Every structure is written in structure tokens, then in C-alpha cells.
Amino acid sequence: MSADQIAQKLWNLCNVLRDDGVTYHQYLNELTYILFLKLSEVKGFEEHIPEEYRWRGFVEEEDNNEAFVRYRKFLAEISNQSSSASIQEIYTNASTSLRKPVNFNTLVQAIDKIDWYEEDDRDTMGDIYESLLEKNAGEKKSGAGQYFTPRPLINVMVDLLVPKIGERWNDPAAGTFGFMISADKYLRDKTDDYYALDEKERKFQEEKAFSGVELVGDAHRLALMNARLHGMESTIYLNDTLTEFGKSIKNFDGVLANPPFGTKKGGERPTRDDFTFPTSNKQLNFLQHIYRSLKKDGKARAAVVLPDNVLFEDGDGQKIRRDLMDKCHLHTILRLPTGIFYAAGVKTNVLFFTRATTETQNTPGVWFYDMRTNVPSYGKRTPFTEKAFEDFIKAYTGGITFDKIEDDFNGIVDHKKRQKIKYERWQYITRDEIAKKNDSLDLGLIADESISQAEDLGEPIAIAEEALAEINSITAELNAMIKELK
């Protein structure tokens, strides 16, 4: 049975629990607690769990009430009893949403019967959990879409930044830790699951190479679980990058991130004092943090998902874009299609840049790729896959096709090779031209009359949701502006 099939089977169990009043998001948390117990048996670290709470005891307990009472006691006590930091973090403030003992037993028995290995002996637990996270993100009522970036986009961003062994990578808005897990997998695939490395290198990759920060407790728990299921002992802080704490998160070789959208509550500015241009716009503050957190060695690089307003916002937005283009080589902006995120109507972009060794005039010009105009309306009928990026990858790499990117592309952007790629969607705009446009980066979209034709607009419900999302975004920005003016 494939990882997707197992994930679907586990997800379908949520329907069994509806009469227990369990929401999809609560169900995923419940699965996380129970799956970790199973993981401790499969992965052989049960010594960190008191004997009375170990997996086999719950499976073999014939009295449902006794098992459920013991499970609730386990959730209440384990974070204080275990000697494992991972277990302490995952079960901090844990409680069950289940009310009926029989439902707990249903979950335990179903999970115990699953074969966690495929025919090639590949451990699929991490893949299964990733599938569960995606299903939760797609369930609009759960609100989890904000913590989940589409896997095809994550994988392409990782491939193009080409992580290397021994480098330190970070996601300051970690969500469920998808970017770092993809970067780890990228390097495992190149090093025989790290067995090609010596012991010191392997320990560094498993414990120090990847880190993150997540503000929301539930998302932090899911991130920890996701990392552990993928064999990563990474540090994932439960904290706010935009506070004083964020000043210590720095000196990275690479950053991959999709910061949360919107403004700080009440239009507040960040509490840390090291931002040159503090603003109530969270994405602009995260952008400042990210390019400041990179090493100033001319090699440290980042790829960041940001909404359209970051590209054109005046005032502090203009100053921050100018600062970014001074301190970094902002070499590429990918204008992403709408409809690929679980939050409806969000128009996004990926900014690719490298931190320079100096502080000024490091962006001679920016390459733009329009992946938004005249593209299919992505959804259930047209799935969003990595194949959608083929032409962009060829443009970005200067001619290397998608199937050869991992072997032939070393991450160095070659301007001369890029010039040879002749796509209507691919264009270069000099720094002088950008300056004449008030340092706006809302550029690079091709003009085409057909974008207004009805068949290209998508489903009516998607159009309505997109319009409402834009109105809400504008309303939030205006409210923040009014508060600042007062």
C-alpha cells in the first residue's frame, strides 16, 4: 500500500469520529500523539517512554475504558516524565479531543495494522504524515492552509538553491517544516541517505543543518513530528521571529520561507529594534529579517514566497525593496499563478536573491518570469505539479532542463546563459528601469488580451473567493494605515 493510500485510510477514520465532535484539525493533532507512540516502537526509542504508556500495551489492552484512562494520563504527564527533549516538546500542553474510549481503540487498532514499509523496505512514515498535512491544509474549515506550501513549489525552490553538505539552513516561519524537510531529502538523495558521509558530517546534517521558528503552538507540534518522522533532530523554536528573539537567528547559508500573510494585530510594529524600516506589514518585516540573517559571504542565498503587495507597496515597502536590492543580488522574481495555495485568491511570487559582501548597488537588474498569465486554472481538474515549472527552470538555469537539473546545475546564476533563453514570459529589467518605476517590482507580467476571456477566468466560486480575499486584504491594510495616521 502506497503512502498516499495509507494517508487516505487514516484520514477516512476522521469520519468515524465525527460523532465524537472531533474537527479535522483536532483529529490531526490526535493522530500526531498516537502516531508518535507507534513511531517509538518502530524506530526503537521506547526507552524514553515509561513502560505503562508504551504502544504495545495500548494495542493489547482489552478494556477500552482502561486504555483510554491510561492514554489521557499519558498525555497529561509525559512531557514532565520523559528524558527525551523531542517527546517533551511534542506533548507539551497535550490533551485529547476524543470523548469515547471505543474511538481511541479504533484509532490504535487501525494504526497498528498498517504496514509502514513499502516493498523496497523504504520507510514511509514521513511520506504518510506529509500526505496527512496536505489533506488537513486542503480542508478549508481547518484553517491549516496558511501553514502549508504546495510541495511542487517547495521542491523546485530547493532544487534551484542547491543546498550543500555542511551548510546551515533556516525557515523563520516554519509552518509544518516542509521547506527544511525537502532540503534534507535533497541532500539525503545525493549522499545515500547520509551514509556516504563520515560520522561528524552525518551528525551535523541530522541535528544542526536545518532549523526553524514557528509562532503557533499546534503548527509547531506538527513541525516537530514531521521532522522526527523524517529522521531529523532539528531545532524548531516555538517563538516569534519578529521579536527580540529573532535577532539571534542569523548567519545562515540559506533561507527558504513562505512568511504568513497580513499585518500584525492592531497595526503594531515589530518589537525588535534592529530593523531599519519597521512596519506593520509582516511580510516586509520577514523579508528584512531574511536578508539580514544570511551570511555576508557572497554565497548565502534565499528563496521567499511573498504576496504581490510586497512588490509595489509605497513608503516603507519602497525603502525595504531598495535596501534588499542594495544588500543583495535580487536576480529572479517568479510571478506565481493564482489558485495554487489553499487560501483562496492569493497572488504570490518567489523572490530569489544572494547576500552580497558589500552593502550597496548589488542588483544590476532582475529577471522576471510570468507563470501567471494565460495558464490553466489549477485545482482538482488541473493538478499543480512540478511539470508546470519546466520552462521556468530552463530559463532560471540558462538552458538546463528539468530532468537534468540535479546533475548539471550548481546553483550559480549565469546572466549570459539566461540571455540565450527566448521566452515571452522571461524578461530582464535593469536596476535603472526599476528605479524609474519608483522601485516597484510589480513588473514582468506579459500583456495579453486573452487573459480577460471568460474561459481563462476559472470557476465562478473561485473568482468570488479571490475577490473577497483581495477586499479583506485591502481592508486590513487600510485599517492599519488609519491606526498609524491617528
Side-chain angles (χ1 to χ4, degrees), residues 307-340:
D308 276 14
N309 71 286
V310 169
L311 303 185
F312 60 73
E313 191 171 296
D314 288 333
D316 287 329
Q318 179 195 37
K319 295 172 184 175
I320 291 166
R321 290 191 300 274
R322 190 182 298 146
D323 193 43
L324 167 66
M325 289 185 282
D326 271 343
K327 290 181 168 61
C328 302
H329 181 194
L330 174 63
H331 53 77
T332 312
I333 295 180
L334 171 62
R335 310 301 303 263
L336 288 167
T338 55
I340 64 171

PDB file of all heavy atoms in Angstrom, residues 307-340:
ATOM      1  N   PRO A 307       3.535  37.910  -1.187  1.00  0.00           N
ATOM      2  CA  PRO A 307       2.374  38.359  -1.958  1.00  0.00           C
ATOM      3  C   PRO A 307       2.699  39.591  -2.806  1.00  0.00           C
ATOM      4  O   PRO A 307       3.701  40.273  -2.576  1.00  0.00           O
ATOM      5  CB  PRO A 307       1.345  38.687  -0.878  1.00  0.00           C
ATOM      6  CG  PRO A 307       2.157  39.050   0.318  1.00  0.00           C
ATOM      7  CD  PRO A 307       3.394  38.193   0.252  1.00  0.00           C
ATOM      8  N   ASP A 308       1.817  39.886  -3.753  1.00  0.00           N
ATOM      9  CA  ASP A 308       2.047  40.989  -4.690  1.00  0.00           C
ATOM     10  C   ASP A 308       2.281  42.329  -4.001  1.00  0.00           C
ATOM     11  O   ASP A 308       3.073  43.143  -4.476  1.00  0.00           O
ATOM     12  CB  ASP A 308       0.846  41.131  -5.639  1.00  0.00           C
ATOM     13  CG  ASP A 308       0.938  40.190  -6.829  1.00  0.00           C
ATOM     14  OD1 ASP A 308       1.763  39.263  -6.793  1.00  0.00           O
ATOM     15  OD2 ASP A 308       0.172  40.376  -7.801  1.00  0.00           O
ATOM     16  N   ASN A 309       1.587  42.579  -2.865  1.00  0.00           N
ATOM     17  CA  ASN A 309       1.688  43.905  -2.262  1.00  0.00           C
ATOM     18  C   ASN A 309       3.117  44.260  -1.836  1.00  0.00           C
ATOM     19  O   ASN A 309       3.491  45.423  -1.798  1.00  0.00           O
ATOM     20  CB  ASN A 309       0.737  44.033  -1.063  1.00  0.00           C
ATOM     21  CG  ASN A 309       1.179  43.230   0.136  1.00  0.00           C
ATOM     22  OD1 ASN A 309       1.064  42.014   0.162  1.00  0.00           O
ATOM     23  ND2 ASN A 309       1.691  43.904   1.151  1.00  0.00           N
ATOM     24  N   VAL A 310       3.924  43.243  -1.550  1.00  0.00           N
ATOM     25  CA  VAL A 310       5.327  43.497  -1.186  1.00  0.00           C
ATOM     26  C   VAL A 310       6.093  44.113  -2.358  1.00  0.00           C
ATOM     27  O   VAL A 310       7.028  44.891  -2.172  1.00  0.00           O
ATOM     28  CB  VAL A 310       6.004  42.185  -0.729  1.00  0.00           C
ATOM     29  CG1 VAL A 310       7.508  42.353  -0.601  1.00  0.00           C
ATOM     30  CG2 VAL A 310       5.418  41.732   0.603  1.00  0.00           C
ATOM     31  N   LEU A 311       5.658  43.784  -3.571  1.00  0.00           N
ATOM     32  CA  LEU A 311       6.354  44.267  -4.764  1.00  0.00           C
ATOM     33  C   LEU A 311       6.050  45.722  -5.078  1.00  0.00           C
ATOM     34  O   LEU A 311       6.833  46.380  -5.772  1.00  0.00           O
ATOM     35  CB  LEU A 311       5.991  43.403  -5.975  1.00  0.00           C
ATOM     36  CG  LEU A 311       6.250  41.900  -5.874  1.00  0.00           C
ATOM     37  CD1 LEU A 311       5.947  41.230  -7.210  1.00  0.00           C
ATOM     38  CD2 LEU A 311       7.680  41.615  -5.455  1.00  0.00           C
ATOM     39  N   PHE A 312       4.900  46.233  -4.612  1.00  0.00           N
ATOM     40  CA  PHE A 312       4.532  47.593  -5.042  1.00  0.00           C
ATOM     41  C   PHE A 312       4.204  48.554  -3.910  1.00  0.00           C
ATOM     42  O   PHE A 312       4.023  49.755  -4.155  1.00  0.00           O
ATOM     43  CB  PHE A 312       3.339  47.545  -5.997  1.00  0.00           C
ATOM     44  CG  PHE A 312       2.087  46.932  -5.438  1.00  0.00           C
ATOM     45  CD1 PHE A 312       1.305  47.601  -4.506  1.00  0.00           C
ATOM     46  CD2 PHE A 312       1.685  45.669  -5.851  1.00  0.00           C
ATOM     47  CE1 PHE A 312       0.148  47.029  -3.991  1.00  0.00           C
ATOM     48  CE2 PHE A 312       0.528  45.088  -5.342  1.00  0.00           C
ATOM     49  CZ  PHE A 312      -0.245  45.772  -4.412  1.00  0.00           C
ATOM     50  N   GLU A 313       4.122  48.093  -2.673  1.00  0.00           N
ATOM     51  CA  GLU A 313       3.736  48.977  -1.572  1.00  0.00           C
ATOM     52  C   GLU A 313       4.693  50.152  -1.438  1.00  0.00           C
ATOM     53  O   GLU A 313       5.914  49.992  -1.476  1.00  0.00           O
ATOM     54  CB  GLU A 313       3.690  48.179  -0.260  1.00  0.00           C
ATOM     55  CG  GLU A 313       3.058  48.937   0.889  1.00  0.00           C
ATOM     56  CD  GLU A 313       2.826  48.042   2.092  1.00  0.00           C
ATOM     57  OE1 GLU A 313       2.015  47.087   1.979  1.00  0.00           O
ATOM     58  OE2 GLU A 313       3.442  48.305   3.142  1.00  0.00           O
ATOM     59  N   ASP A 314       4.125  51.361  -1.278  1.00  0.00           N
ATOM     60  CA  ASP A 314       4.933  52.571  -1.151  1.00  0.00           C
ATOM     61  C   ASP A 314       5.459  52.724   0.274  1.00  0.00           C
ATOM     62  O   ASP A 314       5.262  51.859   1.119  1.00  0.00           O
ATOM     63  CB  ASP A 314       4.096  53.799  -1.545  1.00  0.00           C
ATOM     64  CG  ASP A 314       3.847  53.868  -3.048  1.00  0.00           C
ATOM     65  OD1 ASP A 314       4.678  53.333  -3.802  1.00  0.00           O
ATOM     66  OD2 ASP A 314       2.821  54.447  -3.452  1.00  0.00           O
ATOM     67  N   GLY A 315       6.082  53.854   0.548  1.00  0.00           N
ATOM     68  CA  GLY A 315       6.578  54.133   1.891  1.00  0.00           C
ATOM     69  C   GLY A 315       7.675  53.171   2.307  1.00  0.00           C
ATOM     70  O   GLY A 315       8.701  53.035   1.632  1.00  0.00           O
ATOM     71  N   ASP A 316       7.449  52.478   3.426  1.00  0.00           N
ATOM     72  CA  ASP A 316       8.449  51.530   3.920  1.00  0.00           C
ATOM     73  C   ASP A 316       8.691  50.405   2.923  1.00  0.00           C
ATOM     74  O   ASP A 316       9.799  49.877   2.834  1.00  0.00           O
ATOM     75  CB  ASP A 316       8.000  50.939   5.258  1.00  0.00           C
ATOM     76  CG  ASP A 316       8.117  51.945   6.396  1.00  0.00           C
ATOM     77  OD1 ASP A 316       9.009  52.801   6.331  1.00  0.00           O
ATOM     78  OD2 ASP A 316       7.310  51.872   7.335  1.00  0.00           O
ATOM     79  N   GLY A 317       7.652  50.025   2.182  1.00  0.00           N
ATOM     80  CA  GLY A 317       7.809  48.969   1.182  1.00  0.00           C
ATOM     81  C   GLY A 317       8.859  49.335   0.149  1.00  0.00           C
ATOM     82  O   GLY A 317       9.725  48.527  -0.200  1.00  0.00           O
ATOM     83  N   GLN A 318       8.790  50.568  -0.338  1.00  0.00           N
ATOM     84  CA  GLN A 318       9.776  51.039  -1.319  1.00  0.00           C
ATOM     85  C   GLN A 318      11.183  51.041  -0.716  1.00  0.00           C
ATOM     86  O   GLN A 318      12.152  50.610  -1.355  1.00  0.00           O
ATOM     87  CB  GLN A 318       9.397  52.447  -1.782  1.00  0.00           C
ATOM     88  CG  GLN A 318      10.375  53.042  -2.793  1.00  0.00           C
ATOM     89  CD  GLN A 318      10.195  54.539  -2.956  1.00  0.00           C
ATOM     90  OE1 GLN A 318       9.907  55.241  -1.979  1.00  0.00           O
ATOM     91  NE2 GLN A 318      10.350  55.033  -4.166  1.00  0.00           N
ATOM     92  N   LYS A 319      11.296  51.506   0.527  1.00  0.00           N
ATOM     93  CA  LYS A 319      12.608  51.582   1.182  1.00  0.00           C
ATOM     94  C   LYS A 319      13.202  50.184   1.390  1.00  0.00           C
ATOM     95  O   LYS A 319      14.411  49.976   1.215  1.00  0.00           O
ATOM     96  CB  LYS A 319      12.479  52.292   2.527  1.00  0.00           C
ATOM     97  CG  LYS A 319      12.064  53.751   2.415  1.00  0.00           C
ATOM     98  CD  LYS A 319      11.768  54.333   3.785  1.00  0.00           C
ATOM     99  CE  LYS A 319      11.244  55.764   3.688  1.00  0.00           C
ATOM    100  NZ  LYS A 319      10.840  56.304   5.010  1.00  0.00           N
ATOM    101  N   ILE A 320      12.353  49.232   1.773  1.00  0.00           N
ATOM    102  CA  ILE A 320      12.835  47.869   2.028  1.00  0.00           C
ATOM    103  C   ILE A 320      13.254  47.189   0.730  1.00  0.00           C
ATOM    104  O   ILE A 320      14.271  46.484   0.678  1.00  0.00           O
ATOM    105  CB  ILE A 320      11.753  47.055   2.766  1.00  0.00           C
ATOM    106  CG1 ILE A 320      11.590  47.602   4.186  1.00  0.00           C
ATOM    107  CG2 ILE A 320      12.108  45.569   2.812  1.00  0.00           C
ATOM    108  CD1 ILE A 320      10.355  47.120   4.911  1.00  0.00           C
ATOM    109  N   ARG A 321      12.490  47.398  -0.350  1.00  0.00           N
ATOM    110  CA  ARG A 321      12.900  46.832  -1.649  1.00  0.00           C
ATOM    111  C   ARG A 321      14.236  47.411  -2.094  1.00  0.00           C
ATOM    112  O   ARG A 321      15.110  46.691  -2.607  1.00  0.00           O
ATOM    113  CB  ARG A 321      11.825  47.105  -2.710  1.00  0.00           C
ATOM    114  CG  ARG A 321      10.542  46.317  -2.507  1.00  0.00           C
ATOM    115  CD  ARG A 321       9.636  46.423  -3.710  1.00  0.00           C
ATOM    116  NE  ARG A 321       9.242  47.790  -4.017  1.00  0.00           N
ATOM    117  CZ  ARG A 321       8.197  48.422  -3.476  1.00  0.00           C
ATOM    118  NH1 ARG A 321       7.448  47.793  -2.579  1.00  0.00           N
ATOM    119  NH2 ARG A 321       7.901  49.661  -3.818  1.00  0.00           N
ATOM    120  N   ARG A 322      14.411  48.708  -1.891  1.00  0.00           N
ATOM    121  CA  ARG A 322      15.677  49.355  -2.264  1.00  0.00           C
ATOM    122  C   ARG A 322      16.821  48.797  -1.426  1.00  0.00           C
ATOM    123  O   ARG A 322      17.917  48.518  -1.938  1.00  0.00           O
ATOM    124  CB  ARG A 322      15.538  50.868  -2.060  1.00  0.00           C
ATOM    125  CG  ARG A 322      16.703  51.684  -2.627  1.00  0.00           C
ATOM    126  CD  ARG A 322      16.492  53.147  -2.326  1.00  0.00           C
ATOM    127  NE  ARG A 322      15.277  53.657  -2.969  1.00  0.00           N
ATOM    128  CZ  ARG A 322      14.485  54.594  -2.449  1.00  0.00           C
ATOM    129  NH1 ARG A 322      14.753  55.104  -1.257  1.00  0.00           N
ATOM    130  NH2 ARG A 322      13.425  55.007  -3.118  1.00  0.00           N
ATOM    131  N   ASP A 323      16.560  48.605  -0.126  1.00  0.00           N
ATOM    132  CA  ASP A 323      17.576  48.051   0.772  1.00  0.00           C
ATOM    133  C   ASP A 323      17.934  46.624   0.366  1.00  0.00           C
ATOM    134  O   ASP A 323      19.111  46.232   0.374  1.00  0.00           O
ATOM    135  CB  ASP A 323      17.046  48.077   2.207  1.00  0.00           C
ATOM    136  CG  ASP A 323      18.129  47.832   3.241  1.00  0.00           C
ATOM    137  OD1 ASP A 323      19.234  48.398   3.095  1.00  0.00           O
ATOM    138  OD2 ASP A 323      17.884  47.074   4.193  1.00  0.00           O
ATOM    139  N   LEU A 324      16.917  45.848   0.002  1.00  0.00           N
ATOM    140  CA  LEU A 324      17.149  44.475  -0.465  1.00  0.00           C
ATOM    141  C   LEU A 324      18.041  44.473  -1.704  1.00  0.00           C
ATOM    142  O   LEU A 324      19.006  43.697  -1.784  1.00  0.00           O
ATOM    143  CB  LEU A 324      15.805  43.813  -0.789  1.00  0.00           C
ATOM    144  CG  LEU A 324      15.852  42.493  -1.569  1.00  0.00           C
ATOM    145  CD1 LEU A 324      16.499  41.399  -0.724  1.00  0.00           C
ATOM    146  CD2 LEU A 324      14.452  42.075  -2.009  1.00  0.00           C
ATOM    147  N   MET A 325      17.720  45.329  -2.671  1.00  0.00           N
ATOM    148  CA  MET A 325      18.491  45.358  -3.921  1.00  0.00           C
ATOM    149  C   MET A 325      19.882  45.931  -3.716  1.00  0.00           C
ATOM    150  O   MET A 325      20.791  45.659  -4.505  1.00  0.00           O
ATOM    151  CB  MET A 325      17.728  46.138  -4.994  1.00  0.00           C
ATOM    152  CG  MET A 325      16.509  45.400  -5.513  1.00  0.00           C
ATOM    153  SD  MET A 325      15.653  46.221  -6.890  1.00  0.00           S
ATOM    154  CE  MET A 325      14.733  47.495  -6.003  1.00  0.00           C
ATOM    155  N   ASP A 326      20.077  46.706  -2.647  1.00  0.00           N
ATOM    156  CA  ASP A 326      21.420  47.193  -2.321  1.00  0.00           C
ATOM    157  C   ASP A 326      22.256  46.090  -1.673  1.00  0.00           C
ATOM    158  O   ASP A 326      23.378  45.798  -2.105  1.00  0.00           O
ATOM    159  CB  ASP A 326      21.338  48.386  -1.362  1.00  0.00           C
ATOM    160  CG  ASP A 326      21.227  49.716  -2.089  1.00  0.00           C
ATOM    161  OD1 ASP A 326      21.540  49.758  -3.296  1.00  0.00           O
ATOM    162  OD2 ASP A 326      20.824  50.709  -1.456  1.00  0.00           O
ATOM    163  N   LYS A 327      21.712  45.460  -0.655  1.00  0.00           N
ATOM    164  CA  LYS A 327      22.481  44.493   0.131  1.00  0.00           C
ATOM    165  C   LYS A 327      22.614  43.130  -0.560  1.00  0.00           C
ATOM    166  O   LYS A 327      23.530  42.363  -0.253  1.00  0.00           O
ATOM    167  CB  LYS A 327      21.837  44.291   1.510  1.00  0.00           C
ATOM    168  CG  LYS A 327      21.967  45.492   2.438  1.00  0.00           C
ATOM    169  CD  LYS A 327      21.323  45.212   3.782  1.00  0.00           C
ATOM    170  CE  LYS A 327      21.687  46.266   4.825  1.00  0.00           C
ATOM    171  NZ  LYS A 327      21.247  47.610   4.463  1.00  0.00           N
ATOM    172  N   CYS A 328      21.690  42.832  -1.475  1.00  0.00           N
ATOM    173  CA  CYS A 328      21.672  41.517  -2.117  1.00  0.00           C
ATOM    174  C   CYS A 328      21.638  41.649  -3.632  1.00  0.00           C
ATOM    175  O   CYS A 328      21.299  42.706  -4.166  1.00  0.00           O
ATOM    176  CB  CYS A 328      20.428  40.729  -1.682  1.00  0.00           C
ATOM    177  SG  CYS A 328      20.288  40.486   0.094  1.00  0.00           S
ATOM    178  N   HIS A 329      21.977  40.573  -4.287  1.00  0.00           N
ATOM    179  CA  HIS A 329      21.724  40.469  -5.721  1.00  0.00           C
ATOM    180  C   HIS A 329      20.363  39.804  -5.875  1.00  0.00           C
ATOM    181  O   HIS A 329      20.249  38.573  -5.799  1.00  0.00           O
ATOM    182  CB  HIS A 329      22.822  39.650  -6.400  1.00  0.00           C
ATOM    183  CG  HIS A 329      22.617  39.532  -7.875  1.00  0.00           C
ATOM    184  ND1 HIS A 329      23.299  38.619  -8.661  1.00  0.00           N
ATOM    185  CD2 HIS A 329      21.799  40.205  -8.736  1.00  0.00           C
ATOM    186  CE1 HIS A 329      22.906  38.739  -9.916  1.00  0.00           C
ATOM    187  NE2 HIS A 329      22.001  39.688  -9.979  1.00  0.00           N
ATOM    188  N   LEU A 330      19.335  40.605  -6.048  1.00  0.00           N
ATOM    189  CA  LEU A 330      17.993  40.093  -6.315  1.00  0.00           C
ATOM    190  C   LEU A 330      17.959  39.763  -7.800  1.00  0.00           C
ATOM    191  O   LEU A 330      17.758  40.627  -8.636  1.00  0.00           O
ATOM    192  CB  LEU A 330      16.932  41.141  -5.962  1.00  0.00           C
ATOM    193  CG  LEU A 330      15.492  40.802  -6.332  1.00  0.00           C
ATOM    194  CD1 LEU A 330      14.995  39.575  -5.589  1.00  0.00           C
ATOM    195  CD2 LEU A 330      14.575  42.002  -6.091  1.00  0.00           C
ATOM    196  N   HIS A 331      18.168  38.497  -8.125  1.00  0.00           N
ATOM    197  CA  HIS A 331      18.372  38.149  -9.526  1.00  0.00           C
ATOM    198  C   HIS A 331      17.131  37.620 -10.231  1.00  0.00           C
ATOM    199  O   HIS A 331      17.055  37.682 -11.460  1.00  0.00           O
ATOM    200  CB  HIS A 331      19.520  37.142  -9.669  1.00  0.00           C
ATOM    201  CG  HIS A 331      19.394  35.928  -8.811  1.00  0.00           C
ATOM    202  ND1 HIS A 331      18.555  34.891  -9.111  1.00  0.00           N
ATOM    203  CD2 HIS A 331      20.005  35.599  -7.640  1.00  0.00           C
ATOM    204  CE1 HIS A 331      18.654  33.960  -8.181  1.00  0.00           C
ATOM    205  NE2 HIS A 331      19.529  34.358  -7.267  1.00  0.00           N
ATOM    206  N   THR A 332      16.123  37.108  -9.467  1.00  0.00           N
ATOM    207  CA  THR A 332      14.975  36.487 -10.122  1.00  0.00           C
ATOM    208  C   THR A 332      13.697  36.693  -9.316  1.00  0.00           C
ATOM    209  O   THR A 332      13.713  36.558  -8.085  1.00  0.00           O
ATOM    210  CB  THR A 332      15.184  34.967 -10.281  1.00  0.00           C
ATOM    211  OG1 THR A 332      16.479  34.710 -10.820  1.00  0.00           O
ATOM    212  CG2 THR A 332      14.121  34.354 -11.193  1.00  0.00           C
ATOM    213  N   ILE A 333      12.616  36.999 -10.023  1.00  0.00           N
ATOM    214  CA  ILE A 333      11.287  37.022  -9.411  1.00  0.00           C
ATOM    215  C   ILE A 333      10.363  36.174 -10.268  1.00  0.00           C
ATOM    216  O   ILE A 333      10.194  36.422 -11.464  1.00  0.00           O
ATOM    217  CB  ILE A 333      10.732  38.447  -9.279  1.00  0.00           C
ATOM    218  CG1 ILE A 333      11.595  39.270  -8.312  1.00  0.00           C
ATOM    219  CG2 ILE A 333       9.271  38.417  -8.797  1.00  0.00           C
ATOM    220  CD1 ILE A 333      11.128  40.696  -8.111  1.00  0.00           C
ATOM    221  N   LEU A 334       9.786  35.167  -9.642  1.00  0.00           N
ATOM    222  CA  LEU A 334       8.832  34.283 -10.310  1.00  0.00           C
ATOM    223  C   LEU A 334       7.425  34.721  -9.935  1.00  0.00           C
ATOM    224  O   LEU A 334       7.048  34.683  -8.758  1.00  0.00           O
ATOM    225  CB  LEU A 334       9.079  32.838  -9.875  1.00  0.00           C
ATOM    226  CG  LEU A 334       8.045  31.796 -10.306  1.00  0.00           C
ATOM    227  CD1 LEU A 334       7.971  31.687 -11.818  1.00  0.00           C
ATOM    228  CD2 LEU A 334       8.370  30.437  -9.688  1.00  0.00           C
ATOM    229  N   ARG A 335       6.634  35.158 -10.938  1.00  0.00           N
ATOM    230  CA  ARG A 335       5.245  35.546 -10.694  1.00  0.00           C
ATOM    231  C   ARG A 335       4.395  34.277 -10.740  1.00  0.00           C
ATOM    232  O   ARG A 335       4.144  33.722 -11.805  1.00  0.00           O
ATOM    233  CB  ARG A 335       4.759  36.550 -11.752  1.00  0.00           C
ATOM    234  CG  ARG A 335       5.677  37.759 -11.999  1.00  0.00           C
ATOM    235  CD  ARG A 335       5.921  38.615 -10.763  1.00  0.00           C
ATOM    236  NE  ARG A 335       4.711  39.118 -10.150  1.00  0.00           N
ATOM    237  CZ  ARG A 335       4.201  40.341 -10.374  1.00  0.00           C
ATOM    238  NH1 ARG A 335       4.794  41.171 -11.220  1.00  0.00           N
ATOM    239  NH2 ARG A 335       3.109  40.723  -9.739  1.00  0.00           N
ATOM    240  N   LEU A 336       3.974  33.801  -9.589  1.00  0.00           N
ATOM    241  CA  LEU A 336       3.276  32.524  -9.488  1.00  0.00           C
ATOM    242  C   LEU A 336       1.818  32.631  -9.946  1.00  0.00           C
ATOM    243  O   LEU A 336       1.204  33.697  -9.839  1.00  0.00           O
ATOM    244  CB  LEU A 336       3.305  32.022  -8.048  1.00  0.00           C
ATOM    245  CG  LEU A 336       4.644  31.516  -7.528  1.00  0.00           C
ATOM    246  CD1 LEU A 336       4.592  31.346  -6.017  1.00  0.00           C
ATOM    247  CD2 LEU A 336       5.025  30.199  -8.198  1.00  0.00           C
ATOM    248  N   PRO A 337       1.260  31.520 -10.415  1.00  0.00           N
ATOM    249  CA  PRO A 337      -0.161  31.515 -10.784  1.00  0.00           C
ATOM    250  C   PRO A 337      -1.040  31.583  -9.541  1.00  0.00           C
ATOM    251  O   PRO A 337      -0.620  31.195  -8.450  1.00  0.00           O
ATOM    252  CB  PRO A 337      -0.339  30.183 -11.514  1.00  0.00           C
ATOM    253  CG  PRO A 337       0.764  29.323 -11.017  1.00  0.00           C
ATOM    254  CD  PRO A 337       1.913  30.224 -10.689  1.00  0.00           C
ATOM    255  N   THR A 338      -2.264  32.095  -9.697  1.00  0.00           N
ATOM    256  CA  THR A 338      -3.216  32.067  -8.591  1.00  0.00           C
ATOM    257  C   THR A 338      -3.832  30.671  -8.508  1.00  0.00           C
ATOM    258  O   THR A 338      -3.775  29.897  -9.453  1.00  0.00           O
ATOM    259  CB  THR A 338      -4.327  33.111  -8.799  1.00  0.00           C
ATOM    260  OG1 THR A 338      -4.943  32.874 -10.076  1.00  0.00           O
ATOM    261  CG2 THR A 338      -3.775  34.514  -8.768  1.00  0.00           C
ATOM    262  N   GLY A 339      -4.397  30.371  -7.352  1.00  0.00           N
ATOM    263  CA  GLY A 339      -5.092  29.096  -7.201  1.00  0.00           C
ATOM    264  C   GLY A 339      -4.232  27.932  -6.769  1.00  0.00           C
ATOM    265  O   GLY A 339      -4.710  26.809  -6.700  1.00  0.00           O
ATOM    266  N   ILE A 340      -2.940  28.174  -6.474  1.00  0.00           N
ATOM    267  CA  ILE A 340      -2.079  27.052  -6.076  1.00  0.00           C
ATOM    268  C   ILE A 340      -1.991  26.920  -4.562  1.00  0.00           C
ATOM    269  O   ILE A 340      -1.520  25.908  -4.056  1.00  0.00           O
ATOM    270  CB  ILE A 340      -0.664  27.173  -6.674  1.00  0.00           C
ATOM    271  CG1 ILE A 340       0.062  28.407  -6.141  1.00  0.00           C
ATOM    272  CG2 ILE A 340      -0.732  27.199  -8.189  1.00  0.00           C
ATOM    273  CD1 ILE A 340       1.524  28.468  -6.531  1.00  0.00           C
TER     274      ILE A 340
END
